Amino acid sequence: MLGLFEKKKSPEERLETCLKKKDWDGLSRAYYDMGVSAMDSGQLNKAVLWLSRADTIYSASDEVYTKTSKNRLFHKQIVDNCSSRIGTLEEAPCFTTNSPQKSSVFGTITITSSPASPGSRQQKK
């Protein structure tokens, strides 16, 4: 009966099932759910990873994007919320936003975080 009474699967089982079935909508939703869970529990680095994967999967195909961006029975639209969460995480203090200083031929780029301008970039010559 549409799997409504099945035992709830672990995230890893959901990912495996979706990959076997090539269910890209389901796979993006599984990664989205993992990202939301990680974000809610304060695991910001994992949240960036999972939400970015969800975004990549549903953005790869117009068909998947259309399917994922619709509200359906038992399936909420995740596209806008996923993008919003990624934007929030870009401002959060986590590994991806506080990377070490990098040097190149063009100068040194230093990434700083301050209350006035979190994640602002300054280039030194």
Side-chain angles (χ1 to χ4, degrees):
M1 193 185 226
L2 300 173
L4 294 176
F5 300 105
E6 286 182 9
K7 182 181 106 178
K8 188 166 175 131
K9 294 181 179 181
S10 72
E12 293 81 12
E13 290 172 326
R14 282 181 67 196
L15 295 175
E16 186 177 333
T17 301
C18 291
L19 283 170
K20 282 181 184 176
K21 293 180 179 180
K22 295 187 179 184
D23 175 10
W24 308 124
D25 174 54
L27 187 64
S28 65
R29 289 175 187 281
Y31 279 127
Y32 169 80
D33 291 341
M34 291 169 65
V36 169
S37 177
M39 192 173 180
D40 291 346
S41 67
Q43 298 174 326
L44 303 183
N45 293 324
K46 287 184 179 183
V48 169
L49 173 68
W50 302 136
L51 291 171
S52 295
R53 284 188 182 179
D55 180 70
T56 299
I57 292 166
Y58 68 66
S59 297
S61 159
D62 288 341
E63 180 183 333
V64 176
Y65 183 88
T66 301
K67 190 174 182 181
T68 307
S69 63
K70 288 183 181 175
N71 279 320
R72 299 184 320 236
L73 186 63
F74 302 115
H75 292 281
K76 63 182 178 182
Q77 182 275 110
I78 66 168
V79 172
D80 293 334
N81 188 268
C82 187
S83 296
S84 175
R85 285 178 178 270
I86 291 171
T88 299
L89 288 167
E90 287 175 353
E91 300 296 324
C94 58
F95 179 75
T96 58
T97 59
N98 290 325
S99 60
Q101 182 172 312
K102 296 182 181 180
S103 296
S104 71
V105 177
F106 303 107
T108 302
I109 297 174
T110 306
I111 299 174
T112 60
S113 289
S114 66
S117 60
S120 64
R121 296 174 187 217
Q122 300 171 346
Q123 186 168 2
K124 298 177 182 176
K125 297 244 178 187

